[in-house]
């Protein structure tokens, strides 16, 4: 179904590594409201108290702890709430303690947990994903008329597939390459607003090159879903036809 791409993506992530990638998807801390950050800080403090068996503080002390956690979160704006919770889980399990045997909580330790998750655990997995894009020798580029026909067939095939199986999930790479080809022949159009919406939704991806690839892939998928939802397909010239 796909045109040959210049990249092949490895899927050799462990379940733990795949979880880190999954947790990185979503709204990042710097986009949260003050209330949402406060609610996250409350969740964190509640988990810490339960796991470490800490006594209940009085109201003023509780609020001070929550405020301190919320304030610390300001330094980690590129993490998602789910990543923060995962870092706290790991910290409470002693994964970031080094030679220290006892886990205890304070502001420096909390920040250290988040730093180690962000700068070691997450960075290693992101690096592994980047390295999985293995360069392969490019194949001869087909003539434009052949390339255009292939691109039309692929779009129609995908639309037919999803019409028959709405639960279908895109798991293969190269959609960004297909997007570029479809754009070249004006087979799909993506508005400036739609492109911005997709770009903003991927704000958690810090690597710009990877974010561009993901953004093109999402735009390509949106075009296919539009064909499905509006019951249209492309004719041999690449014009939209109602089914």
């Amino acid at each position: 179904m796909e045109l040959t791409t210049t990249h092949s993506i490895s899927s050799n992530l462990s379940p733990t590594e795949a979880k880190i990638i999954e947790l990185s998807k979503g709204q990042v801390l710097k986009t949260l409201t003050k209330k949402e950050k406060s609610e996250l800080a409350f969740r964190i403090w509640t988990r810490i108290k339960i796991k470490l068996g800490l006594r209940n503080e009085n109201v003023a002390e509780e609020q001070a702890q929550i405020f301190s956690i919320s304030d610390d979160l300001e330094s980690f704006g590129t993490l998602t709430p789910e990543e923060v919770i995962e870092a706290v889980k790991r910290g409470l399990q002693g994964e970031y303690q080094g030679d220290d045997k006892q886990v205890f909580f304070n502001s420096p330790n909390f920040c250290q947990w988040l730093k180690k998750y962000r700068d070691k655990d997450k960075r290693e997995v992101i690096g592994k994903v980047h390295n999985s894009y293995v360069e392969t020798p490019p194949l001869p580029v087909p003539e434009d008329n052949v390339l255009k026909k292939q691109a039309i067939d692929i779009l129609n095939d995908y639309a037919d597939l999803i019409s028959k199986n709405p639960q279908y999930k895109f798991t293969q790479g190269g959609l960004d390459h297909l997007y570029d080809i479809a754009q070249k022949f004006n087979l799909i159009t993506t508005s400036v607003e739609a492109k911005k919406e997709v770009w903003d939704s991927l704000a958690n991806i810090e690597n710009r090159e990877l974010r561009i690839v993901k953004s093109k892939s999402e735009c390509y998928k949106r075009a296919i879903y539009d064909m499905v939802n509006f019951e249209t397909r492309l004719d041999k010239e690449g014009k939209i036809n109602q089914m």
Side-chain angles (χ1 to χ4, degrees):
M1 180 179 287
E2 284 185 76
L3 298 177
T4 303
T5 70
T6 57
H7 296 89
S8 60
I9 300 175
S10 173
S11 57
N12 60 344
L13 295 180
S14 69
T16 299
E17 292 169 334
K19 180 180 180 182
I20 288 177
I21 294 297
E22 190 62 31
L23 292 174
S24 70
K25 301 174 182 177
Q27 195 172 10
V28 293
L29 295 185
K30 62 185 178 183
T31 65
L32 299 183
T33 65
K34 185 175 181 180
K35 180 182 178 183
E36 288 170 332
K37 288 178 184 175
S38 180
E39 290 172 348
L40 175 60
F42 176 77
R43 285 173 58 198
I44 293 168
W45 177 235
T46 301
R47 176 180 291 274
I48 289 168
K49 284 198 304 179
I50 293 173
K51 290 295 184 181
L52 298 184
L54 303 180
R55 65 178 178 81
N56 288 325
E57 311 273 0
N58 62 44
V59 175
E61 291 173 329
E62 290 275 317
Q63 289 300 318
Q65 287 284 12
I66 293 170
F67 177 81
S68 176
I69 292 172
S70 183
D71 187 55
D72 288 335
L73 291 176
E74 295 294 330
S75 301
F76 300 92
T78 58
L79 294 178
T80 65
E82 291 75 20
E83 289 179 302
V84 172
I85 295 297
E86 180 65 17
V88 170
K89 286 181 183 178
R90 295 183 179 207
L92 292 172
Q93 291 167 358
E95 294 185 27
Y96 302 138
Q97 288 302 109
D99 295 331
D100 296 332
K101 300 297 182 183
Q102 183 178 359
V103 176
F104 64 95
F105 175 79
N106 56 27
S107 179
N109 272 4
F110 175 61
C111 290
Q112 191 67 10
W113 295 349
L114 299 188
K115 284 179 183 177
K116 287 189 174 181
Y117 181 89
R118 180 191 65 190
D119 299 338
K120 184 178 183 298
D121 297 349
K122 181 179 178 180
R123 182 167 293 175
E124 287 180 356
V125 176
I126 294 296
K128 189 171 182 179
V129 171
H130 290 172
N131 291 336
S132 70
Y133 284 78
V134 180
E135 292 290 342
T136 58
L139 295 176
V141 178
E143 297 283 341
D144 271 3
N145 62 327
V146 176
L147 198 60
K148 181 177 179 179
K149 181 181 183 305
Q150 289 178 336
I152 291 170
D153 289 343
I154 290 170
L155 282 164
N156 286 335
D157 285 349
Y158 267 130
D160 289 342
L161 177 61
I162 293 171
S163 293
K164 295 174 182 176
N165 180 16
Q167 304 306 315
Y168 176 79
K169 300 294 183 184
F170 291 88
T171 57
Q172 68 286 340
L175 297 183
D176 59 308
H177 179 60
L178 294 175
Y179 175 81
D180 287 338
I181 295 173
Q183 287 276 288
K184 174 181 178 178
F185 297 112
N186 297 315
L187 303 179
I188 59 176
T189 57
T190 308
S191 68
V192 174
E193 293 78 9
K195 288 180 180 178
K196 184 178 186 306
E197 180 185 344
V198 170
W199 182 259
D200 291 345
S201 73
L202 300 171
N204 59 299
I205 299 177
E206 298 175 10
N207 182 279
R208 179 176 177 80
E209 183 180 348
L210 181 59
R211 189 174 177 185
I212 291 173
V213 169
K214 294 287 187 182
S215 182
K216 288 182 178 180
S217 298
E218 287 302 314
C219 288
Y220 187 77
K221 287 189 282 187
R222 285 192 177 200
I224 293 168
Y225 282 114
D226 283 345
M227 291 171 65
V228 174
N229 294 333
F230 292 104
E231 297 185 341
T232 59
R233 296 294 185 270
L234 300 178
D235 64 18
K236 63 181 181 179
E237 300 300 326
K239 304 299 182 182
I240 296 175
N241 275 346
Q242 200 74 30
M243 293 176 63

